């Protein structure tokens, strides 16, 4: 199946959470009512009137600094703050990107007005559009240079991984030409080198304002930026509008001249309990509730005041088998385990009509019709034959899971896997880790036999997904998978522009990943958004964020 409408689903449990008892939940509810001007009826009219949009998330980060990534709350707020050089041009796609995933050839400028690549591809000359921060400072190339230098010097994880591993930026990538012109230098060009700059941590900071607050002990102004957005995007706020870990109120940047919609105020409230977030939405005390359980999404579908949007996503839930294990490292064993998994029954049992079973080793969201050799099958007898061929019987393995990643459904999936694999003689013992920190530590240390995880690509592109975990060149390949032919094919995907040649390489990579399994994918997740009716012009970017500043009434 080619590109299809999957679903606009909030990412699995955030990497950072805070607990909130009844008092905290009631306080958040009161805040939502106050921010929206009253009870249920008034919130509905407030959303439709384009005045205030209240965004209920699991919790707020303790810092607004793009150098401090604290899981989904950071990315939810970061993408809304905007002000990156490039964005996804979803307005040109069917249903504005809901049914078709935006790709690297759909990039448009955000702060970048125009750009030109050199003949050898290693230099991109960018001209900035005229933009002014809420503090009244004009955007300049020095802001860009300072922002990149800051990310590099502070060794910020995802941006540096994107620049060094996904793309191949020079060590000092930004060269200023004049106030509105600069160059991006790469050691080698790639299809991804501009697409990575859509990631929220690359938002350009108002260096003129931040530098007023630097000290010898804080040369990058982290204390100031942690409390101040310092952006050239559509929103601004006073320092008092941010209550660390609790709430953030954003108002329109009066100096923002790019196109925007009708929402004048965006209020983020932190409510750790998903049922409480769903209740705020259903009663009209929130405009949007992120990260709900699928049962709650299913119930909200019956509420005529709620629009439950489902759109295409490249997010996937994989089973990770440690290739360093003397038994699980065998291709025959890994293929047998994949064959023994009934992916459709897992999705049918767990997701209440949302999400899709993984059909192939490469996500169908990318629109590449995968060959049969790359597709998953359910064949218990073939699985038994492969295990016998590998000389394996009475295999026992421990499966690590966490409700934080991939999400609260992890236990249900694990129990179903336990039952299915028992039919081929594999005994699965389930070990639950409560927090995202624990599951991520186990994964990054490679200290597991089997693990249920989540693959949410920061940049939705076949190369990024193929490289991210399964390439032996990736820092995130902690499970020991090595396939030199796969590495070579994936590297070519990264340097080939979208088209038939690139699609052929993606298909070959998919065949190799199925024949010599790395990650064994189980579920293709959807992006799911539950939002009050009355607003239109949603831009369905491949990162799954809302972009409230584009919303229009009616």
């Amino acid at each position: 199946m080619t590109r299809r409408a999957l679903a606009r689903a909030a990412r699995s449990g955030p990497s950072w959470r805070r607990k909130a008892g009844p008092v905290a939940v009631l306080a958040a509810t009161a805040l939502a009512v106050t921010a929206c001007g009253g009870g249920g009826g008034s919130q509905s009219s407030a959303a439709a009137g384009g005045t205030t949009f209240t965004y209920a998330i699991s919790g707020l980060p303790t810092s607004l600094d793009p150098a401090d990534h604290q899981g989904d709350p950071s990315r939810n707020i970061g993408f809304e703050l905007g002000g990156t050089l490039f964005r996804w041009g979803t307005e040109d796609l069917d249903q504005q990107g809901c049914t078709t995933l935006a790709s690297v050839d759909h990039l448009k400028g955000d702060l970048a007005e125009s750009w030109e690549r050199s003949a050898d591809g290693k230099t991109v000359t960018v001209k900035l559009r005229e933009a002014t921060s809420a503090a009244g400072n004009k955007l300049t190339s020095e802001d860009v240079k300072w922002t990149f230098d800051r990310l590099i010097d502070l060794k910020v994880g995802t941006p540096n991984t994107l620049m060094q591993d996904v793309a191949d930026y020079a060590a000092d990538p930004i060269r200023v030409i004049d106030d509105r012109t600069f160059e991006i230098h790469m050691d080698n060009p790639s299809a991804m080198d501009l697409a990575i700059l859509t990631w929220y941590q690359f938002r350009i900071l108002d260096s003129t304002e931040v530098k007023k607050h630097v000290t010898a002990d804080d040369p990058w102004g982290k204390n100031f930026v942690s409390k101040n957005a310092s952006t050239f995007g559509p929103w601004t706020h006073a320092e008092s509008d941010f209550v660390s870990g609790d709430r953030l109120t954003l108002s329109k940047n009066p100096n923002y001249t790019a196109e925007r919609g009708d929402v004048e105020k965006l209020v983020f409230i932190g409510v750790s309990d998903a049922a409480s977030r769903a209740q705020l939405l259903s009663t009209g005390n929130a405009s949007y509730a992120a990260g709900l359980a699928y049962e709650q999404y299913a119930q909200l579908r019956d509420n005529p005041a709620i629009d439950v949007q489902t759109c295409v996503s490249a997010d996937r839930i994989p089973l990770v088998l440690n290739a360093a294990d003397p038994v699980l490292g065998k291709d025959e064993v890994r293929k047998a385990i994949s064959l023994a998994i009934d992916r459709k029954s897992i999705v049918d049992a767990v997701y209440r009509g949302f999400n899709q079973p993984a059909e192939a080793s490469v996500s169908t969201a990318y629109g590449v019709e995968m060959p049969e050799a790359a597709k998953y099958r359910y064949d218990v007898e073939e699985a038994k034959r492969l295990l016998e061929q590998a000389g394996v019987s009475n295999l026992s393995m421990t499966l690590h899971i966490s409700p934080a990643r991939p999400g609260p459904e992890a236990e249900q999936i694990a129990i179903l896997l336990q039952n299915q694999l028992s039919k081929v003689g594999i005994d699965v013992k389930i070990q639950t880790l409560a927090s995202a920190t624990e599951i991520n530590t186990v994964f990054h240390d490679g200290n597991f036999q089997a693990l249920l995880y989540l693959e949410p690509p920061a940049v939705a592109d076949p190369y990024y997904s193929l490289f991210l975990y399964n390439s032996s060149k990736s820092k995130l390949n902690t499970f020991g998978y090595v396939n030199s032919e796969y590495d070579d094919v994936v590297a070519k995907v990264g340097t080939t522009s979208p088209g038939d040649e690139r699609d052929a390489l993606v298909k070959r990579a998919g065949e190799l990943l199925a024949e010599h399994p790395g990650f064994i994918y189980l579920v293709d997740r959807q992006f799911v958004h539950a939002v009050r009716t009355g607003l239109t012009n949603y831009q369905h970017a491949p990162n799954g964020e809302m972009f409230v500043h584009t919303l229009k009434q009616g």
Side-chain angles (χ1 to χ4, degrees), residues 91-118:
E91 65 270 29
D92 299 332
L93 299 173
D94 179 55
Q95 296 185 39
Q96 294 172 293
C98 184
T99 60
T100 303
L101 201 67
S103 65
V104 293
D105 53 354
H106 295 118
L107 282 180
K108 291 198 173 182
D110 189 2
L111 294 183
E113 180 178 271
S114 61
W115 59 97
E116 183 177 355
R117 190 178 291 271
S118 64

mmCIF file of all heavy atoms in Angstrom, residues 91-118:
data_model
loop_
_atom_site.group_PDB
_atom_site.id
_atom_site.type_symbol
_atom_site.label_atom_id
_atom_site.label_comp_id
_atom_site.label_asym_id
_atom_site.label_seq_id
_atom_site.Cartn_x
_atom_site.Cartn_y
_atom_site.Cartn_z
ATOM 1 N N GLU A 91 1.336 23.185 2.797
ATOM 2 C CA GLU A 91 0.183 23.816 2.155
ATOM 3 C C GLU A 91 0.016 23.383 0.699
ATOM 4 O O GLU A 91 -1.063 23.538 0.115
ATOM 5 C CB GLU A 91 0.286 25.346 2.239
ATOM 6 C CG GLU A 91 1.448 25.966 1.473
ATOM 7 C CD GLU A 91 2.704 26.101 2.310
ATOM 8 O OE1 GLU A 91 2.915 25.293 3.226
ATOM 9 O OE2 GLU A 91 3.498 27.021 2.027
ATOM 10 N N ASP A 92 1.055 22.826 0.106
ATOM 11 C CA ASP A 92 0.987 22.390 -1.289
ATOM 12 C C ASP A 92 0.578 20.923 -1.432
ATOM 13 O O ASP A 92 0.469 20.416 -2.546
ATOM 14 C CB ASP A 92 2.356 22.584 -1.961
ATOM 15 C CG ASP A 92 2.786 24.045 -1.978
ATOM 16 O OD1 ASP A 92 1.908 24.920 -1.997
ATOM 17 O OD2 ASP A 92 4.000 24.304 -1.968
ATOM 18 N N LEU A 93 0.373 20.224 -0.310
ATOM 19 C CA LEU A 93 0.086 18.794 -0.333
ATOM 20 C C LEU A 93 -1.392 18.517 -0.104
ATOM 21 O O LEU A 93 -2.128 19.356 0.419
ATOM 22 C CB LEU A 93 0.910 18.076 0.733
ATOM 23 C CG LEU A 93 2.424 18.184 0.593
ATOM 24 C CD1 LEU A 93 3.115 17.580 1.812
ATOM 25 C CD2 LEU A 93 2.901 17.498 -0.676
ATOM 26 N N ASP A 94 -1.823 17.313 -0.476
ATOM 27 C CA ASP A 94 -3.195 16.890 -0.256
ATOM 28 C C ASP A 94 -3.542 17.000 1.228
ATOM 29 O O ASP A 94 -2.793 16.506 2.084
ATOM 30 C CB ASP A 94 -3.382 15.447 -0.740
ATOM 31 C CG ASP A 94 -4.791 14.936 -0.523
ATOM 32 O OD1 ASP A 94 -5.737 15.590 -1.000
ATOM 33 O OD2 ASP A 94 -4.947 13.892 0.131
ATOM 34 N N GLN A 95 -4.677 17.644 1.519
ATOM 35 C CA GLN A 95 -5.123 17.860 2.891
ATOM 36 C C GLN A 95 -3.992 18.437 3.748
ATOM 37 O O GLN A 95 -3.849 18.122 4.910
ATOM 38 C CB GLN A 95 -5.681 16.572 3.503
ATOM 39 C CG GLN A 95 -6.930 16.081 2.804
ATOM 40 C CD GLN A 95 -7.555 14.877 3.492
ATOM 41 O OE1 GLN A 95 -7.581 14.802 4.710
ATOM 42 N NE2 GLN A 95 -8.056 13.929 2.705
ATOM 43 N N GLN A 96 -3.205 19.287 3.110
ATOM 44 C CA GLN A 96 -2.110 20.013 3.782
ATOM 45 C C GLN A 96 -1.190 19.083 4.571
ATOM 46 O O GLN A 96 -0.759 19.367 5.676
ATOM 47 C CB GLN A 96 -2.699 21.110 4.677
ATOM 48 C CG GLN A 96 -3.388 22.199 3.861
ATOM 49 C CD GLN A 96 -4.135 23.194 4.709
ATOM 50 O OE1 GLN A 96 -5.127 22.855 5.343
ATOM 51 N NE2 GLN A 96 -3.669 24.428 4.709
ATOM 52 N N GLY A 97 -0.876 17.931 3.936
ATOM 53 C CA GLY A 97 0.084 17.001 4.504
ATOM 54 C C GLY A 97 -0.522 15.912 5.356
ATOM 55 O O GLY A 97 0.216 15.091 5.903
ATOM 56 N N CYS A 98 -1.844 15.848 5.457
ATOM 57 C CA CYS A 98 -2.465 14.827 6.312
ATOM 58 C C CYS A 98 -2.382 13.446 5.675
ATOM 59 O O CYS A 98 -2.138 12.459 6.368
ATOM 60 C CB CYS A 98 -3.920 15.179 6.586
ATOM 61 S SG CYS A 98 -4.757 14.045 7.712
ATOM 62 N N THR A 99 -2.566 13.363 4.368
ATOM 63 C CA THR A 99 -2.569 12.058 3.706
ATOM 64 C C THR A 99 -1.263 11.750 2.992
ATOM 65 O O THR A 99 -1.049 10.621 2.565
ATOM 66 C CB THR A 99 -3.716 11.975 2.677
ATOM 67 O OG1 THR A 99 -3.541 13.005 1.687
ATOM 68 C CG2 THR A 99 -5.064 12.169 3.354
ATOM 69 N N THR A 100 -0.414 12.752 2.842
ATOM 70 C CA THR A 100 0.863 12.579 2.151
ATOM 71 C C THR A 100 1.966 13.193 2.985
ATOM 72 O O THR A 100 1.916 14.387 3.294
ATOM 73 C CB THR A 100 0.846 13.249 0.762
ATOM 74 O OG1 THR A 100 -0.228 12.707 -0.010
ATOM 75 C CG2 THR A 100 2.165 13.021 0.036
ATOM 76 N N LEU A 101 2.950 12.401 3.332
ATOM 77 C CA LEU A 101 4.032 12.879 4.181
ATOM 78 C C LEU A 101 4.932 13.829 3.399
ATOM 79 O O LEU A 101 5.416 13.497 2.317
ATOM 80 C CB LEU A 101 4.844 11.678 4.668
ATOM 81 C CG LEU A 101 5.693 11.851 5.922
ATOM 82 C CD1 LEU A 101 4.801 12.045 7.147
ATOM 83 C CD2 LEU A 101 6.581 10.635 6.109
ATOM 84 N N ALA A 102 5.140 15.027 3.916
ATOM 85 C CA ALA A 102 6.053 15.965 3.273
ATOM 86 C C ALA A 102 7.465 15.395 3.240
ATOM 87 O O ALA A 102 7.920 14.792 4.207
ATOM 88 C CB ALA A 102 6.050 17.299 4.015
ATOM 89 N N SER A 103 8.144 15.564 2.126
ATOM 90 C CA SER A 103 9.491 15.018 1.955
ATOM 91 C C SER A 103 10.491 16.150 1.762
ATOM 92 O O SER A 103 10.127 17.330 1.771
ATOM 93 C CB SER A 103 9.526 14.070 0.758
ATOM 94 O OG SER A 103 9.265 14.767 -0.444
ATOM 95 N N VAL A 104 11.754 15.795 1.569
ATOM 96 C CA VAL A 104 12.804 16.808 1.495
ATOM 97 C C VAL A 104 12.654 17.732 0.298
ATOM 98 O O VAL A 104 13.241 18.818 0.292
ATOM 99 C CB VAL A 104 14.203 16.151 1.479
ATOM 100 C CG1 VAL A 104 14.485 15.466 2.802
ATOM 101 C CG2 VAL A 104 14.340 15.161 0.320
ATOM 102 N N ASP A 105 11.857 17.332 -0.710
ATOM 103 C CA ASP A 105 11.648 18.238 -1.833
ATOM 104 C C ASP A 105 10.432 19.140 -1.625
ATOM 105 O O ASP A 105 10.002 19.818 -2.556
ATOM 106 C CB ASP A 105 11.553 17.480 -3.161
ATOM 107 C CG ASP A 105 10.524 16.371 -3.151
ATOM 108 O OD1 ASP A 105 9.947 16.109 -2.077
ATOM 109 O OD2 ASP A 105 10.299 15.764 -4.216
ATOM 110 N N HIS A 106 9.885 19.155 -0.390
ATOM 111 C CA HIS A 106 8.794 20.064 -0.050
ATOM 112 C C HIS A 106 9.258 21.144 0.922
ATOM 113 O O HIS A 106 8.433 21.776 1.586
ATOM 114 C CB HIS A 106 7.614 19.294 0.561
ATOM 115 C CG HIS A 106 6.965 18.338 -0.380
ATOM 116 N ND1 HIS A 106 6.921 16.986 -0.152
ATOM 117 C CD2 HIS A 106 6.353 18.535 -1.568
ATOM 118 C CE1 HIS A 106 6.301 16.377 -1.154
ATOM 119 N NE2 HIS A 106 5.945 17.299 -2.019
ATOM 120 N N LEU A 107 10.555 21.361 1.014
ATOM 121 C CA LEU A 107 11.075 22.377 1.932
ATOM 122 C C LEU A 107 10.764 23.785 1.434
ATOM 123 O O LEU A 107 10.832 24.059 0.226
ATOM 124 C CB LEU A 107 12.582 22.235 2.083
ATOM 125 C CG LEU A 107 13.117 21.134 2.997
ATOM 126 C CD1 LEU A 107 14.629 21.186 2.999
ATOM 127 C CD2 LEU A 107 12.570 21.271 4.409
ATOM 128 N N LYS A 108 10.449 24.664 2.383
ATOM 129 C CA LYS A 108 10.274 26.079 2.076
ATOM 130 C C LYS A 108 11.031 26.890 3.119
ATOM 131 O O LYS A 108 11.348 26.405 4.201
ATOM 132 C CB LYS A 108 8.793 26.449 2.062
ATOM 133 C CG LYS A 108 8.036 25.835 0.893
ATOM 134 C CD LYS A 108 6.722 26.529 0.632
ATOM 135 C CE LYS A 108 6.089 26.002 -0.652
ATOM 136 N NZ LYS A 108 4.819 26.712 -0.958
ATOM 137 N N GLY A 109 11.301 28.125 2.776
ATOM 138 C CA GLY A 109 11.979 28.992 3.716
ATOM 139 C C GLY A 109 11.040 29.474 4.802
ATOM 140 O O GLY A 109 9.859 29.740 4.534
ATOM 141 N N ASP A 110 11.550 29.583 6.017
ATOM 142 C CA ASP A 110 10.824 30.247 7.093
ATOM 143 C C ASP A 110 11.529 31.575 7.334
ATOM 144 O O ASP A 110 11.132 32.589 6.778
ATOM 145 C CB ASP A 110 10.791 29.359 8.337
ATOM 146 C CG ASP A 110 9.866 29.913 9.413
ATOM 147 O OD1 ASP A 110 9.233 30.962 9.180
ATOM 148 O OD2 ASP A 110 9.773 29.298 10.491
ATOM 149 N N LEU A 111 12.625 31.587 8.080
ATOM 150 C CA LEU A 111 13.434 32.801 8.148
ATOM 151 C C LEU A 111 14.294 32.966 6.896
ATOM 152 O O LEU A 111 14.741 34.075 6.582
ATOM 153 C CB LEU A 111 14.325 32.775 9.387
ATOM 154 C CG LEU A 111 13.608 32.821 10.740
ATOM 155 C CD1 LEU A 111 14.613 32.860 11.876
ATOM 156 C CD2 LEU A 111 12.641 33.995 10.828
ATOM 157 N N ALA A 112 14.542 31.878 6.187
ATOM 158 C CA ALA A 112 15.286 31.958 4.923
ATOM 159 C C ALA A 112 14.361 32.452 3.816
ATOM 160 O O ALA A 112 13.274 31.909 3.622
ATOM 161 C CB ALA A 112 15.858 30.595 4.566
ATOM 162 N N GLU A 113 14.778 33.482 3.124
ATOM 163 C CA GLU A 113 13.995 34.023 2.016
ATOM 164 C C GLU A 113 14.312 33.297 0.717
ATOM 165 O O GLU A 113 13.437 32.989 -0.086
ATOM 166 C CB GLU A 113 14.269 35.522 1.861
ATOM 167 C CG GLU A 113 13.510 36.199 0.742
ATOM 168 C CD GLU A 113 13.802 37.682 0.686
ATOM 169 O OE1 GLU A 113 13.072 38.450 1.369
ATOM 170 O OE2 GLU A 113 14.768 38.083 -0.003
ATOM 171 N N SER A 114 15.603 33.017 0.505
ATOM 172 C CA SER A 114 16.028 32.307 -0.699
ATOM 173 C C SER A 114 17.349 31.615 -0.402
ATOM 174 O O SER A 114 18.036 31.937 0.576
ATOM 175 C CB SER A 114 16.187 33.263 -1.880
ATOM 176 O OG SER A 114 17.187 34.243 -1.602
ATOM 177 N N TRP A 115 17.725 30.649 -1.246
ATOM 178 C CA TRP A 115 18.985 29.936 -1.068
ATOM 179 C C TRP A 115 19.437 29.355 -2.398
ATOM 180 O O TRP A 115 18.638 29.088 -3.292
ATOM 181 C CB TRP A 115 18.868 28.850 0.001
ATOM 182 C CG TRP A 115 17.818 27.801 -0.268
ATOM 183 C CD1 TRP A 115 17.979 26.572 -0.814
ATOM 184 C CD2 TRP A 115 16.414 27.922 0.018
ATOM 185 N NE1 TRP A 115 16.794 25.896 -0.895
ATOM 186 C CE2 TRP A 115 15.813 26.698 -0.381
ATOM 187 C CE3 TRP A 115 15.604 28.921 0.573
ATOM 188 C CZ2 TRP A 115 14.429 26.476 -0.247
ATOM 189 C CZ3 TRP A 115 14.239 28.678 0.705
ATOM 190 C CH2 TRP A 115 13.680 27.470 0.303
ATOM 191 N N GLU A 116 20.747 29.171 -2.503
ATOM 192 C CA GLU A 116 21.344 28.659 -3.742
ATOM 193 C C GLU A 116 22.513 27.750 -3.389
ATOM 194 O O GLU A 116 23.350 28.100 -2.554
ATOM 195 C CB GLU A 116 21.814 29.815 -4.626
ATOM 196 C CG GLU A 116 22.371 29.380 -5.969
ATOM 197 C CD GLU A 116 22.766 30.558 -6.840
ATOM 198 O OE1 GLU A 116 22.519 31.719 -6.430
ATOM 199 O OE2 GLU A 116 23.330 30.326 -7.925
ATOM 200 N N ARG A 117 22.568 26.600 -4.038
ATOM 201 C CA ARG A 117 23.622 25.632 -3.773
ATOM 202 C C ARG A 117 24.746 25.786 -4.790
ATOM 203 O O ARG A 117 24.505 26.028 -5.973
ATOM 204 C CB ARG A 117 23.056 24.208 -3.830
ATOM 205 C CG ARG A 117 24.018 23.129 -3.337
ATOM 206 C CD ARG A 117 23.336 21.756 -3.378
ATOM 207 N NE ARG A 117 22.280 21.633 -2.394
ATOM 208 C CZ ARG A 117 22.452 21.210 -1.152
ATOM 209 N NH1 ARG A 117 23.669 20.895 -0.728
ATOM 210 N NH2 ARG A 117 21.422 21.116 -0.328
ATOM 211 N N SER A 118 25.981 25.642 -4.330
ATOM 212 C CA SER A 118 27.145 25.737 -5.213
ATOM 213 C C SER A 118 27.201 24.535 -6.150
ATOM 214 O O SER A 118 26.514 23.526 -5.945
ATOM 215 C CB SER A 118 28.430 25.809 -4.386
ATOM 216 O OG SER A 118 28.599 24.608 -3.642
#
